[in-house]
Amino acid sequence: MINFTLTIDGKKKTINSPSAWNELTLYQFIRIENEFMKDKENFILLFNILTGLDIEFLEGSKDKEVEKQLYRICAFICEPIELDNVTHSDALLINGDAVMIPKDLSDITLGQKIMVSQAIKNIDDIVTKIPIVLANIMQPAKDGKYDRHKVKELEVIINDCNGLECYSLAKGFFLRSKILNNIGLTNSKAYQSQRMRQRNISPKWLTEIG
């Protein structure tokens, strides 16, 4: 992670930002995949995603420190990453607690089946639905039994989990789970599309603007 201080509206503010792919939250990962990857020259958008700094503030800034940190922070995005090779551990860290990942989904509840089915129906990009999919699968593991109200709460919390781990975990559920395959809840085509997406980002902007 990178920490730096900026003066915003006359006040000093400490900014935290990931400096590597494996430091992204799920929320940041989803926004990079669905927003920045469609507009790869928009590094102000990327800086906003990584730091939470307001886009209008960034666009109007004359602060050399802002410019310096933009180059520093956004550079790692130029590093290639193959999502197929990303792995996850045996437990997902949720709000500081390690929740064991279910290996056997044969006892998935009817509520889980319906919620996941509705979530992925008629979509081409499964990445957007990772939070709701993982919330439905992980909530019983976290709380002991399925509760759709707690699923909604967990869906928000999961956005703060590690982005690459969540991607790998959700992918594993869909491509390897027999129960999800049997009930037609897989969307391997969406993952294929994600994998084949052109991910190379030209570092040209680093020299042109810098």
Side-chain angles (χ1 to χ4, degrees):
M1 296 292 286
I2 293 176
N3 301 315
F4 59 95
T5 302
L6 294 180
T7 300
I8 302 175
D9 295 331
K11 298 179 181 179
K12 288 189 177 297
K13 185 174 180 181
T14 299
I15 309 298
N16 303 309
S17 171
S19 58
W21 282 98
N22 62 5
E23 293 176 351
L24 294 172
T25 65
L26 178 57
Y27 174 75
Q28 291 167 328
F29 176 77
I30 290 173
R31 288 197 63 198
I32 287 172
E33 289 297 301
N34 291 342
E35 296 177 45
F36 176 70
M37 286 298 176
K38 296 174 182 175
D39 187 9
K40 295 178 187 176
E41 296 301 317
N42 191 347
F43 283 88
I44 284 183
L45 169 64
L46 179 60
F47 201 40
N48 160 261
I49 293 171
L50 296 178
T51 65
L53 288 168
D54 184 75
I55 287 181
E56 289 186 4
F57 163 75
L58 293 171
E59 288 177 336
S61 176
K62 296 180 180 180
D63 189 336
K64 292 299 181 183
E65 184 64 19
V66 173
E67 192 174 329
K68 172 185 171 184
Q69 295 299 341
L70 184 147
Y71 306 141
R72 181 186 177 200
I73 288 172
C74 295
F76 81 87
I77 295 294
C78 296
E79 299 171 6
I81 181 172
E82 178 52 68
L83 290 179
D84 269 359
N85 297 332
V86 172
T87 60
H88 60 81
S89 59
D90 292 333
L92 183 64
L93 201 61
I94 302 175
N95 260 1
D97 296 325
V99 180
M100 294 304 295
I101 297 167
K103 293 183 178 179
D104 180 14
L105 298 182
S106 60
D107 61 346
I108 188 171
T109 70
L110 178 59
Q112 287 172 289
K113 293 176 184 178
I114 292 173
M115 291 291 285
V116 174
S117 176
Q118 291 175 339
I120 69 168
K121 187 177 182 181
N122 298 325
I123 62 170
D124 294 324
D125 191 345
I126 203 69
V127 169
T128 308
K129 299 300 181 179
I130 288 178
I132 190 170
V133 170
L134 291 191
N136 271 278
I137 300 297
M138 295 300 297
Q139 183 273 319
K142 178 178 179 293
D143 299 314
K145 66 177 183 178
Y146 184 73
D147 183 326
R148 62 185 176 88
H149 300 294
K150 290 184 178 180
V151 167
K152 286 294 183 184
E153 296 172 5
L154 188 57
E155 187 180 337
V156 176
I157 295 170
I158 277 181
N159 275 296
D160 290 328
C161 292
N162 183 278
L164 292 187
E165 283 226 345
C166 287
Y167 176 86
S168 175
L169 178 55
K171 176 182 174 182
F173 282 146
F174 280 90
L175 299 188
R176 291 194 298 271
S177 169
K178 288 183 179 179
I179 184 68
L180 293 181
N181 273 305
N182 290 340
I183 60 176
L185 298 190
T186 58
N187 200 332
S188 57
K189 185 178 179 181
Y191 274 112
Q192 180 77 4
S193 170
Q194 197 73 26
R195 185 175 73 249
M196 294 179 65
R197 178 182 293 173
Q198 174 57 260
R199 310 189 57 76
N200 293 329
I201 302 166
S202 171
K204 188 167 138 184
W205 61 279
L206 282 169
T207 52
E208 278 190 352
I209 305 178

